[in-house]
Amino acid sequence: MEKRIVLNFPAENAQNPVIYDIVKKFDVVPNILKANVKADQGGRMVVELVANENEIKAAIDYIESCGIEVSAIGSKISWNSELCTDCGTCTSSCLSGALTIKAPDWKLQFNPDKCVACKLCLKACPLHLFSMDVSV
Amino acid sequence: MTKSYEEINEKIRKGKAVVLTAEQVSEMARTMSPKEILSKVDVVTTATFGAMCSSGAVLNFGHATPPIRMERIELNGVPVSGGLAAVDTFVGATDCNVQRPEYGGAHVIQELIDGKEVILEAWAKGTDCYPRTHIRTRISLDTINDAILWNPRNAYQNYNVAVNSSDRIRYTYMGTLLPHFKNASYSSAGELSPLLNDPECRTIGLGTRIFLAGAQGYVTYNGTQFNTSKPINEYGVPMGGARTIAVAGEMREMNSRYLRGAYFEKYGVTMYVGIGVPIPILDEDMAARVSIRNEQIETYLEDYGDDFKLIGTTNYAALRSGEIEFNGHKIHTAPLSSLARAREIADILKGWIERGEFLLTAPTRPMPANRSLKSLEENL
């Protein structure tokens, strides 16, 4: 399976090589989609983990045991579906396929598991209905 | 066999008119001839919900005591026209304060329709008959005399599909266009779109009653940039932007579910407008026109990254599949106008007609038959 997560590195653990560790320890294939981590300040990283379910769970437990907060990426993006008009403009710039609009109903669908937090939807939505609770 | 407006309206009054949406009749046309459709269907409802920059509102505020001849006017800080008499204004959808480009006239119009109060501030030099030089107050649709949505150009008949061959992002009124043909934006309700179901405007003319942002409004004139000179494909569909309509309606009867202020990144403010147009099936020709299907509605690919060149053609069935192919590129397609909301509008209009709440109007004057567009020459 694939799972996309956000790693929140505190400054004191910013140099912890957890990505290397999870490859060695759990045979997880990490695909770093986005990273903004500074050695002296910490930061955030968006990673896709490819492995079986148990290995992914073990890898996430390990990362958390190293003092690095892990959250599901979908929790970072919020979308005001009530005000959405289903115009579909946002899907144009969503190349990860998290935002889709198609037959039969042509209503906007948001799949947080596919989101890579590129933030293009924040600007693409003409009604500004997307927001992100932290900057990744 | 032909039917007159009067015959159709008589059926509507009696609750006996057969009304279908344009999508329903297009599906029906797969197995029925225009002659059969004419015998079974009286009215077809069409609709669109898209960004229409050439929109606005005429407001009359009423006179204060002492009165003012408003020469510079702002609504919620958005500069609007001071060029209409003493207390009239035109709020253009794209009006905005350059300091706050993401909020503009379209948002002011939406807030008024939502029943919100808006701050009016106006300045004048002061005259003997209008001595006041400044006023600042709150207004709402309850406090002012007139509030009429007054859109010079809506419901484009067809529109080019926007792509970008260049190596940088283009921020446009067709949305964010990614480099190297990564995406394509289209903006039409296709087979549900009003002017694609009556491509020569045989039934849509001055005075046509329509659904306008939740109210019953009217086609007031041919829209600006009305153009009959575009190439016509083998199914009778004009390629690219062609005919347009000007529309008006009472803002107090509108609902912001069908009218939204919007902002396109690094482009500016625009307004989403919901329009529904009923098409009477007067004869076999109209029955054939409303039978048009997405795969028959073609349009051009326009390269916004290379001088707006027309570089190919596609159709709405392909666009709605989510991907089109062009010169070896697989291009991700996305709509700009809401098909879901357009369908909702077509259904509402269908309901109004079925319940006898909405009668059809024959045009009091047809649309122009021969119009082409001029470019702006620089001659000084």
Side-chain angles (χ1 to χ4, degrees), chain B residues 152-263:
Chain B
R153 181 175 68 258
N154 281 178
Y156 242 122
Q157 191 161 33
N158 197 347
Y159 214 79
N160 293 340
V161 177
V163 294
N164 173 15
S165 67
S166 76
D167 55 8
R168 70 172 175 89
I169 291 184
R170 305 284 167 149
Y171 297 95
T172 75
Y173 59 86
M174 293 295 283
T176 301
L177 302 175
L178 302 174
H180 306 302
F181 295 109
K182 282 282 192 306
N183 63 359
S185 294
Y186 63 96
S187 185
S188 171
E191 65 191 26
L192 188 58
S193 183
L195 300 188
L196 288 171
N197 280 278
D198 184 3
E200 292 173 4
C201 289
R202 284 189 55 211
T203 69
I204 301 170
L206 275 60
T208 299
R209 186 180 292 122
I210 59 170
F211 173 109
L212 179 58
Q216 292 191 11
Y218 294 87
V219 174
T220 54
Y221 220 77
N222 34 292
T224 53
Q225 293 179 194
F226 190 95
N227 186 352
T228 61
S229 68
K230 291 279 179 172
I232 310 290
N233 78 358
E234 62 180 296
Y235 305 104
V237 176
M239 302 279 288
R243 292 167 181 81
T244 66
I245 50 176
V247 301
E250 175 58 62
M251 278 169 60
R252 290 184 179 91
E253 296 167 10
M254 292 180 183
N255 179 339
S256 69
R257 184 166 175 78
Y258 310 108
L259 182 150
R260 291 289 176 84
Y263 173 74

Side-chain angles (χ1 to χ4, degrees), chain B residues 42-343:
Chain B
D42 299 306
V43 184
V44 168
T45 60
T46 65
T48 183
F49 183 83
M52 306 185 193
C53 290
S54 187
S55 298
V58 170
L59 307 179
N60 176 287
F61 303 117
H63 286 287
T65 308
I68 177 171
R69 179 179 184 269
M70 300 179 183
E71 289 159 351
R72 185 159 76 83
I73 307 173
E74 290 184 0
L75 291 170
N76 279 357
V78 176
V80 296
S81 174
L84 287 174
V87 293
D88 285 327
T89 192
F90 184 78
V91 185
T94 65
D95 277 334
C96 75
N97 182 331
V98 291
Q99 304 297 322
R100 192 188 173 196
E102 73 283 0
Y103 179 89
H107 298 93
V108 171
I109 292 167
Q110 183 192 329
E111 287 183 32
L112 286 168
I113 288 171
D114 278 334
K116 292 181 182 165
E117 289 186 323
V118 164
I119 301 220
L120 161 67
E121 186 162 17
W123 297 263
K125 61 183 175 294
T127 69
D128 287 343
C129 43
Y130 295 104
R132 192 170 196 142
T133 58
H134 179 250
I135 189 167
R136 188 170 186 274
T137 186
R138 288 192 185 89
I139 61 153
S140 72
L141 288 191
D142 290 335
T143 70
I144 63 178
N145 290 319
D146 302 286
I148 308 156
L149 195 72
W150 201 295
N151 300 352
R153 181 175 68 258
N154 281 178
Y156 242 122
Q157 191 161 33
N158 197 347
Y159 214 79
N160 293 340
V161 177
V163 294
N164 173 15
S165 67
S166 76
D167 55 8
R168 70 172 175 89
I169 291 184
R170 305 284 167 149
Y171 297 95
T172 75
Y173 59 86
M174 293 295 283
T176 301
L177 302 175
L178 302 174
H180 306 302
F181 295 109
K182 282 282 192 306
N183 63 359
S185 294
Y186 63 96
S187 185
S188 171
E191 65 191 26
L192 188 58
S193 183
L195 300 188
L196 288 171
N197 280 278
D198 184 3
E200 292 173 4
C201 289
R202 284 189 55 211
T203 69
I204 301 170
L206 275 60
T208 299
R209 186 180 292 122
I210 59 170
F211 173 109
L212 179 58
Q216 292 191 11
Y218 294 87
V219 174
T220 54
Y221 220 77
N222 34 292
T224 53
Q225 293 179 194
F226 190 95
N227 186 352
T228 61
S229 68
K230 291 279 179 172
I232 310 290
N233 78 358
E234 62 180 296
Y235 305 104
V237 176
M239 302 279 288
R243 292 167 181 81
T244 66
I245 50 176
V247 301
E250 175 58 62
M251 278 169 60
R252 290 184 179 91
E253 296 167 10
M254 292 180 183
N255 179 339
S256 69
R257 184 166 175 78
Y258 310 108
L259 182 150
R260 291 289 176 84
Y263 173 74
F264 281 102
E265 178 71 9
K266 295 184 185 174
Y267 165 72
V269 173
T270 185
M271 191 155 81
Y272 274 78
V273 184
I275 290 179
V277 179
I279 312 273
I281 309 306
L282 302 173
D283 51 29
E284 283 185 43
D285 176 60
M286 287 314 300
R289 301 295 196 167
V290 296
S291 300
I292 194 83
R293 292 196 306 274
N294 284 327
E295 58 266 34
Q296 300 167 327
I297 304 172
E298 294 174 292
T299 189
Y300 295 112
L301 291 180
E302 184 171 356
D303 187 354
Y304 282 58
D306 184 14
D307 207 20
F308 304 97
K309 287 178 186 154
L310 301 181
I311 55 173
T313 59
T314 185
N315 67 62
Y316 284 90
L319 288 163
R320 287 196 189 163
S321 73
E323 190 176 88
I324 54 172
E325 281 200 44
F326 172 73
N327 275 4
H329 297 276
K330 288 190 170 177
I331 311 178
H332 169 60
T333 60
L336 277 179
S337 67
S338 173
L339 182 58
R341 197 62 47 102
R343 284 175 172 167

